Amino acid sequence: MLKKVMRQVKQHRQFILFIGLMLVFRSAVADWNHVPSGSMLPTIVQGDRILVNKMAYDLRLPFTNITLVKLAEPERGDIITFDSAVADKKLVKRIIGLPGDTVSMRNNRLYLNGQAINYEASSQTVTDWREAFSDERKAFSDMQEALPGKPHAIRLHASPSRLANFGPVTVPQGHYLTLGDNRDASADSRVIGFIPREEITGKAHRVAFSNDPEHYYWFRNERWLMPI
């Protein structure tokens, strides 16, 4: 029996080596992750497969979370993947608060270190969310959040969730505060707390490809290799 196994291994050693190297690559270098929820709308949509750079911040021992070398620190605005011990699953969120930052939210408006973040919708600065929902039939509104260093789109619902207010809180050392871009439909740091640095597994930077679950999982050509 052992001889048969060894013979099969020898006959297929190139294929076995390829599979092994691919697994190591996906574990420690780069991978793609399926996004099943809408917590990062409108930036990431359901059905996206996002490319994740697993060496953006750390060089890790393959198949483990053991860091061999720290390569960089996460930055405000980065979209990260992390293995949340609190949620007991891998999550994708955006970093809003760095260690030492003071962050608060009032009626879905962010305040960072005492400064209100600016928002724009339809190329006009928004000072009152009611302006974004002037059409009462709108269930949600997308707008631009001027996060320092990384302006990006967010989605707000016409009826704010219970998560629309928090803080002020100060991010402890070695931790990060994350939010989903779909502010009224995201279980982020407002639910699971600050994210420990060691839980962060990579930086998402591009959509590899996307399938539309509402249309028989057909490819969305317009999202092919789209930066996020």
Side-chain angles (χ1 to χ4, degrees), residues 75-167:
E75 298 180 354
R76 184 179 292 110
D78 287 356
I79 297 176
I80 59 168
T81 59
F82 56 98
D83 292 323
S84 172
V86 176
D88 194 26
K89 59 182 175 180
K90 185 180 291 293
L91 296 175
V92 180
K93 305 295 177 187
R94 187 184 297 275
I95 292 179
I96 301 296
L98 301 177
D101 282 344
T102 298
V103 186
S104 62
M105 182 180 284
R106 294 289 176 266
N107 191 28
N108 268 328
R109 184 180 294 276
L110 269 178
Y111 293 80
L112 182 61
N113 297 320
Q115 299 295 316
I117 301 298
N118 291 325
Y119 296 82
E120 290 187 355
S122 302
S123 300
Q124 294 185 352
T125 301
V126 176
T127 57
D128 189 327
W129 292 140
R130 286 173 292 184
E131 298 174 18
F133 296 100
S134 56
D135 184 346
E136 295 180 355
R137 295 170 297 178
K138 294 174 68 175
F140 61 84
S141 181
D142 294 342
M143 55 190 63
Q144 193 80 357
E145 181 175 77
L147 189 70
K150 186 68 175 183
H152 61 99
I154 66 167
R155 175 163 294 181
L156 298 178
H157 292 206
S159 299
S161 74
R162 62 180 179 82
L163 302 175
N165 297 276
F166 73 85

Side-chain angles (χ1 to χ4, degrees), residues 5-200:
V5 172
M6 294 304 297
R7 187 163 53 249
Q8 290 295 318
V9 169
K10 289 181 180 179
Q11 289 177 353
H12 301 92
R13 59 181 179 272
Q14 290 182 333
F15 177 73
I16 293 172
L17 178 61
F18 169 78
I19 294 297
L21 291 175
M22 184 181 68
L23 292 174
V24 169
F25 181 85
R26 294 190 63 178
S27 172
V29 181
D31 197 2
W32 66 61
N33 292 105
H34 171 62
V35 179
S37 75
S39 69
M40 285 295 292
L41 286 167
T43 308
I44 301 173
V45 305
Q46 296 98 320
D48 281 354
R49 268 70 171 177
I50 55 173
L51 287 174
V52 178
N53 180 2
K54 292 196 169 184
M55 291 183 62
Y57 310 120
D58 304 286
L59 175 62
R60 282 193 165 96
L61 187 67
F63 312 114
T64 75
N65 284 330
I66 299 174
T67 298
L68 301 176
V69 180
K70 284 191 175 182
L71 303 174
E73 291 301 325
E75 298 180 354
R76 184 179 292 110
D78 287 356
I79 297 176
I80 59 168
T81 59
F82 56 98
D83 292 323
S84 172
V86 176
D88 194 26
K89 59 182 175 180
K90 185 180 291 293
L91 296 175
V92 180
K93 305 295 177 187
R94 187 184 297 275
I95 292 179
I96 301 296
L98 301 177
D101 282 344
T102 298
V103 186
S104 62
M105 182 180 284
R106 294 289 176 266
N107 191 28
N108 268 328
R109 184 180 294 276
L110 269 178
Y111 293 80
L112 182 61
N113 297 320
Q115 299 295 316
I117 301 298
N118 291 325
Y119 296 82
E120 290 187 355
S122 302
S123 300
Q124 294 185 352
T125 301
V126 176
T127 57
D128 189 327
W129 292 140
R130 286 173 292 184
E131 298 174 18
F133 296 100
S134 56
D135 184 346
E136 295 180 355
R137 295 170 297 178
K138 294 174 68 175
F140 61 84
S141 181
D142 294 342
M143 55 190 63
Q144 193 80 357
E145 181 175 77
L147 189 70
K150 186 68 175 183
H152 61 99
I154 66 167
R155 175 163 294 181
L156 298 178
H157 292 206
S159 299
S161 74
R162 62 180 179 82
L163 302 175
N165 297 276
F166 73 85
V169 297
T170 299
V171 184
Q173 292 301 312
H175 292 73
Y176 296 84
L177 187 146
T178 66
L179 296 176
D181 290 348
N182 193 355
R183 291 292 159 79
D184 292 305
S186 175
D188 41 45
S189 284
R190 295 170 293 180
V191 176
I192 62 175
F194 301 114
I195 310 306
R197 171 69 171 80
E198 59 268 19
E199 288 187 354
I200 298 175

